[in-house]
Amino acid sequence: MSRAKRKADHLRGALQSGQAGESGFDDITFVHQSLPDVNTSSIQLETEIGELTISSPIFINAMTGGGGKATEVINSSLAEAARELNIPIAVGSQMSALKDPEERRTYETVRKNNPDGIVIGNVGSEASVDQAQSCVDMLEADALQIHLNVIQELVMPEGDRNFEGALSRIETICKEVSVPVIVKEVGFGTSMESARKLSDAGVSVIDAGGFGGTNFSMIENQRRKKDMSFFNEWGIKTAASIAEVKYACPEIPVLSSGGIRTAMDIAKSLALGASACGMAGRILKWVKDGGTQEVLDQVILLQEELRWIMTALGINNVHSFQKVPFVISGETHHWLKERGID
Ligand code: FNR
């Protein structure tokens, strides 16, 4: 199977059936406050991801590149949207550009269209230090994501079967590359055990990448003849995963991704301890439906809605989400109790 065909399958699969699940945010309820003492017009959305300051707690998460013209067009539109919104953008895995230099332009378009913004590179945990640094240099990236996608690889007919040595390669990359390293899951969630290992390896930021949004087990199962649908429900829901990572590594910035669809999902992520939220599948739909303008309109609406939610909660900056009271119920409550997280 050609790489371009696989990328096209992923894009189609993500649009058709990927965003099926529940990320656990329905189990989080904010406690209403009747005297918020806040003016919506003075609310600041600025926040930080580690050492990077960002204008609002939303970023475009890794999606594509390396699939010829089709992925170049998507990345160009996403980069324009990121530039206009002044939000960070991560590219899809750059491993294909290392294997085929012809594909470099499908990624480089992101930096070209967004010369001064925060651009984040992306590699798999099979990457060497030299490969990781090449990917950073390719984009003059401000940070590097390393994705962990064991379940996707297992379900993918042509996927990897050997996952030995990933943690030690991550550790070396963290020591050697010139930018902060963000390790991310791709929708199966990060556990407290994995988070501790990553923290010990020196990663700067962990993106929980929880279950409930784009489902790469479902997408890959649709592409293969032999069904491995027992992985379709596998994963830690995003709300629980943020809590796991935050509990295990309170000093490491945690990002929320996996099924972020609404401003309320963003608010609940921030209250659980996330610094910012990455969106992939939903932004892909917007860019496919209406190009750059649709992404701009929808993200501006999310930012406005987030300000209204912050008004109701009586807070005027993102850091104050840490003191907002909320109640955890249902499956997420049960999960966190079972896991010893209070
Ligand atoms: C992805 N994602 C992804 N992640 C990554 O680290 N490297 C990659 O190359 C890709 N490729 C990719 C392609 C497509 C079409 C989609 C939709 C997603 C995963 C993405 O960054 C994110 O972790 C998951 O999609 C979960 O977030 P959403 O989609 O539920 O918001």
Side-chain angles (χ1 to χ4, degrees):
M1 158 132 0
S2 78
R3 191 183 308 119
K5 166 88 169 69
R6 186 169 75 230
K7 303 269 174 179
D9 283 355
H10 285 167
L11 290 167
R12 198 176 324 105
L15 285 166
Q16 279 169 0
S17 65
Q19 291 260 316
E22 286 288 332
S23 302
F25 294 115
D26 286 352
D27 291 338
I28 313 294
T29 308
F30 286 120
V31 179
H32 172 65
Q33 306 298 337
S34 305
L35 293 164
D37 199 24
V38 163
N39 180 341
T40 307
S41 64
S42 65
I43 287 175
Q44 300 293 322
L45 293 184
E46 194 174 272
T47 182
E48 296 90 34
I49 304 178
E51 55 194 57
L52 301 172
T53 299
I54 62 174
S55 62
S56 70
I58 300 170
F59 65 95
I60 300 176
N61 218 347
M63 273 182 277
T64 202
K69 195 71 193 162
T71 59
E72 187 178 348
V73 168
I74 294 173
N75 272 345
S76 298
S77 301
L78 293 176
E80 281 170 29
R83 182 191 67 217
E84 294 305 308
L85 292 161
N86 189 20
I87 62 173
I89 175 169
V91 299
S93 175
Q94 292 166 266
M95 299 308 279
S96 46
L98 297 176
K99 289 176 191 137
D100 177 1
E102 277 288 294
E103 295 286 10
R104 284 178 65 115
R105 66 174 200 286
T106 66
Y107 300 92
E108 286 167 345
T109 184
V110 172
R111 180 48 90 196
K112 210 169 103 208
N113 279 318
N114 188 13
D116 304 318
I118 295 177
V119 173
I120 304 172
N122 187 290
V123 293
S125 59
E126 71 277 22
S128 66
V129 172
D130 286 349
Q131 288 175 321
Q133 187 62 51
S134 298
C135 290
V136 170
D137 296 341
M138 194 186 299
L139 298 171
E140 295 169 57
D142 301 279
L144 179 69
Q145 289 180 330
I146 302 178
H147 63 259
L148 302 177
N149 66 339
V150 171
I151 301 296
Q152 182 187 4
E153 294 290 344
L154 288 175
V155 182
M156 210 189 311
E158 68 275 34
D160 287 342
R161 296 292 179 266
N162 178 1
F163 303 98
E164 285 173 343
L167 188 63
S168 88
R169 282 189 296 278
I170 290 171
E171 186 168 8
T172 315
I173 290 173
C174 290
K175 281 200 191 100
E176 306 277 332
V177 294
S178 55
V179 294
V181 171
I182 303 168
V183 173
K184 72 184 284 275
E185 251 291 349
V186 300
F188 301 95
T190 305
S191 67
M192 65 169 97
E193 294 83 358
S194 300
R196 283 195 191 105
K197 288 181 191 168
L198 293 169
S199 168
D200 291 346
V203 312
S204 301
V205 178
I206 296 174
D207 182 340
F211 183 88
T214 302
N215 184 324
F216 273 101
S217 175
M218 278 189 191
I219 293 171
E220 297 297 349
N221 268 318
Q222 282 161 4
R223 295 176 57 231
R224 61 179 288 148
K225 292 197 177 67
K226 191 162 161 272
D227 187 31
M228 288 173 77
S229 55
F230 49 83
F231 279 132
N232 287 357
E233 297 300 319
W234 181 286
I236 307 168
K237 291 187 176 180
T238 302
S241 182
I242 299 166
E244 292 231 356
V245 177
K246 204 66 206 167
Y247 177 76
C249 310
E251 74 293 351
I252 287 199
V254 53
L255 302 176
S256 166
S257 72
I260 303 296
R261 302 170 175 90
T262 65
M264 193 58 82
D265 295 340
I266 295 171
K268 290 176 178 179
S269 296
L270 298 171
L272 284 164
S275 309
C277 297
M279 301 179 70
R282 192 43 66 107
I283 288 186
L284 180 66
K285 183 177 170 346
W286 293 335
V287 81
K288 280 288 191 184
D289 286 352
T292 304
Q293 191 58 48
E294 181 71 5
V295 180
L296 293 181
D297 292 347
Q298 295 289 348
V299 174
I300 288 167
L301 180 60
L302 283 179
Q303 291 169 335
E304 197 177 350
E305 290 170 346
L306 187 58
R307 283 195 185 88
W308 295 337
I309 294 168
M310 289 168 73
T311 307
L313 293 172
I315 57 173
N316 59 17
N317 62 65
V318 169
H319 294 282
S320 298
F321 269 105
Q322 293 313 301
K323 57 177 197 221
V324 161
F326 58 87
V327 173
I328 304 178
S329 59
E331 192 190 318
T332 307
H333 179 261
H334 179 74
W335 177 283
L336 297 181
K337 194 157 177 278
E338 286 290 308
R339 297 282 285 157
I341 301 171
D342 38 35

